[in-house]
């Protein structure tokens, strides 16, 4: 995955994926992954749990086919926290992998809202996700004369 030094040097790039309405989705190839502390949407202040530990999120940068203007490079940041964490983790588990990897492909869709936990509040957004691990091609050397003696094993 992308190192902190690489991110500092090259910039994190990408616009945020938007999940405003049911059916909104983002799909692309994972270019970078970073665990960051969550921030308050309005003030930008760092967020903490009641016990003082920082609230964390996984920020994935996906290369998508989306382009909103001529300067749009198609990079989209997906901020994975809350119920989206459960959806992405389940998608990864279904592949037999133990985490997301650069070159893997991720699909996330906002599907509905949960029942509100208290009167006057909105229900938490609910997501579905699908993950495809990266594939690697292995080049097998050819046996020049067919007897197998010049193969590596």
């Amino acid at each position: 995955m992308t190192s902190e030094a690489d991110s500092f040097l090259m910039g994190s790039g990408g616009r945020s994926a938007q999940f405003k309405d049911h059916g909104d989705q983002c799909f692309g190839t994972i270019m970078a992954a970073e665990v960051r502390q969550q921030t308050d949407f309005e003030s930008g202040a760092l967020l903490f749990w009641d016990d003082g530990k920082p609230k964390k999120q996984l920020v994935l940068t996906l290369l998508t086919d989306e382009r909103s203007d001529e300067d749009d490079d198609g990079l989209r940041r997906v901020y994975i926290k809350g119920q989206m964490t459960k959806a992405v983790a389940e998608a990864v588990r279904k592949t037999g992998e133990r985490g997301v990897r650069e070159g893997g492909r991720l699909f996330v869709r906002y599907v509905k809202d949960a029942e509100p936990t208290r009167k006057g509040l909105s229900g938490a957004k609910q997501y579905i996700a699908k993950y495809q691990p990266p594939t690697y091609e292995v080049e097998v050397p050819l046996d020049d004369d067919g007897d197998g003696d010049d193969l590596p094993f």
Side-chain angles (χ1 to χ4, degrees), residues 58-96:
L58 174 62
V59 182
L60 295 180
T61 303
L62 305 181
L63 179 58
T64 72
D65 291 334
E66 296 178 40
R67 302 292 186 277
S68 60
D69 58 46
E70 60 194 34
D71 295 324
D72 189 343
D73 58 7
L75 293 175
R76 296 291 182 273
R77 281 193 219 110
V78 179
Y79 295 84
I80 300 176
K81 56 189 174 188
Q83 194 278 330
M84 189 187 293
T85 303
K86 293 176 186 175
V88 172
E90 181 180 319
V92 171
R93 268 189 227 99
K94 285 182 179 179
T95 68

Side-chain angles (χ1 to χ4, degrees), residues 19-153:
F19 298 101
K20 293 180 181 178
D21 300 311
H22 296 166
D24 286 353
Q25 61 190 31
C26 188
F27 173 69
T29 301
I30 299 170
M31 304 304 289
E34 176 184 5
V35 175
R36 291 188 200 166
Q37 188 169 353
Q38 292 182 33
T39 57
D40 181 82
F41 183 73
E42 292 179 10
S43 71
L46 297 174
L47 296 178
F48 297 87
W49 295 105
D50 291 339
D51 65 2
K53 291 181 182 173
K55 288 187 175 185
K56 300 286 187 162
Q57 64 187 339
L58 174 62
V59 182
L60 295 180
T61 303
L62 305 181
L63 179 58
T64 72
D65 291 334
E66 296 178 40
R67 302 292 186 277
S68 60
D69 58 46
E70 60 194 34
D71 295 324
D72 189 343
D73 58 7
L75 293 175
R76 296 291 182 273
R77 281 193 219 110
V78 179
Y79 295 84
I80 300 176
K81 56 189 174 188
Q83 194 278 330
M84 189 187 293
T85 303
K86 293 176 186 175
V88 172
E90 181 180 319
V92 171
R93 268 189 227 99
K94 285 182 179 179
T95 68
E97 296 290 316
R98 298 187 62 150
V100 294
R101 301 287 175 261
E102 193 171 299
R105 297 176 58 79
L106 182 68
F107 170 85
V108 178
R109 179 183 291 152
Y110 170 29
V111 291
K112 64 181 180 178
D113 298 313
E115 288 294 318
T117 56
R118 292 191 319 219
K119 187 176 181 178
L121 296 178
S122 299
K125 291 181 178 182
Q126 304 293 294
Y127 299 89
I128 58 170
K130 183 158 184 162
Y131 176 70
Q132 179 182 37
T135 55
Y136 303 99
E137 292 185 29
V138 177
E139 190 172 315
V140 178
L142 297 177
D143 180 20
D144 293 334
D145 57 9
D147 64 6
D149 64 350
D150 51 351
L151 294 178
F153 47 88

